[in-house]
Amino acid sequence: MALRDILLVPDPRLKLVSTPVEQVDDETRTLMADMLETMYDAPGIGLAAIQIGVPKRVIVMDLAREGEPPEPKYFINPEILWSSEETAPYEEGCLSIPDIYDQVERPSKVRLTYLDQNGERIEEEAEGLYAVCIQHEIDHCNGVLFIDYLSKLKRDRAVTKVKKASRAGQPA
């Protein structure tokens, strides 16, 4: 396992649409192990491969609370099959946009399908933080950032703040 650098806005690679994984193999599993280590180190609860510069439809997540044992989840080629009409606001943040948080309204429940780390097809429903996080990470696979849901003014302020902090070598 290895720590990878997390891309920060306005890196243009964050806007790329990721390609599907053709085969779940050792290379894919190594990528996911590196992603998980990078996410834990950041620290965060979700990471898409594009955030470390790999344009593949791969996501890792761990929603375990502090003090609970880790519960890593692996998603290869995740896809939303259904979204509820009911929405809920949630304050989101992103490892590619450090120290910036804002409310995003998303469907409160989703049904998704994906391949796990063994290449097994899974279909399940998600709600609450799980639904928010998986939608956020799938957005990354589609070149969409949570700040894209905000007003142009808020989005521009967030990018400027991250760029400024990055130049100064400090958190945003």
Side-chain angles (χ1 to χ4, degrees):
M1 294 195 310
L3 284 177
R4 307 271 194 112
D5 290 332
I6 297 174
L7 303 179
L8 302 179
V9 295
D11 192 307
R13 292 173 288 179
L14 290 169
K15 301 306 271 175
L16 295 174
V17 175
S18 298
T19 58
V21 172
E22 297 296 324
Q23 177 180 325
V24 180
D25 54 18
D26 287 342
E27 183 180 323
T28 307
R29 284 185 277 278
T30 298
L31 170 64
M32 291 186 298
D34 289 355
M35 289 171 62
L36 204 59
E37 184 176 348
T38 301
M39 180 192 78
Y40 286 142
D41 183 69
I45 61 171
L47 188 69
I50 192 63
Q51 290 180 270
I52 58 167
V54 179
K56 294 282 183 193
R57 297 186 80 80
V58 176
I59 293 167
V60 296
M61 280 175 30
D62 190 337
L63 303 180
R65 290 190 163 85
E66 200 173 317
E68 294 179 351
E71 294 179 22
K73 287 191 69 123
Y74 307 90
F75 304 85
I76 300 159
N77 300 334
E79 200 179 324
I80 304 278
L81 302 173
W82 168 86
S83 300
S84 67
E85 287 184 28
E86 179 187 336
T87 61
Y90 199 88
E91 186 173 77
E92 295 188 27
C94 181
L95 295 176
S96 292
I97 314 165
D99 301 318
I100 304 293
Y101 302 90
D102 214 316
Q103 294 279 325
V104 176
E105 187 96 11
R106 294 186 185 272
S108 57
K109 292 181 184 175
V110 294
R111 174 165 277 290
L112 67 143
T113 185
Y114 60 93
L115 301 177
D116 68 10
Q117 71 271 28
N118 301 313
E120 299 293 321
R121 178 148 308 278
I122 308 284
E123 188 174 311
E124 62 190 11
E125 283 197 18
E127 59 183 303
L129 181 58
Y130 182 16
V132 170
C133 193
I134 195 63
Q135 290 175 85
H136 175 112
E137 299 305 335
I138 289 173
D139 274 355
H140 274 298
C141 293
N142 295 325
V144 177
L145 302 171
F146 91 90
I147 59 173
D148 293 335
Y149 293 97
L150 306 179
S151 68
K152 181 174 176 7
L153 177 65
K154 283 185 171 185
R155 189 171 49 251
D156 290 348
R157 277 188 188 153
V159 171
T160 299
K161 191 173 180 184
V162 171
K163 282 168 47 177
K164 199 177 203 180
S166 184
R167 281 195 300 269
Q170 302 169 339

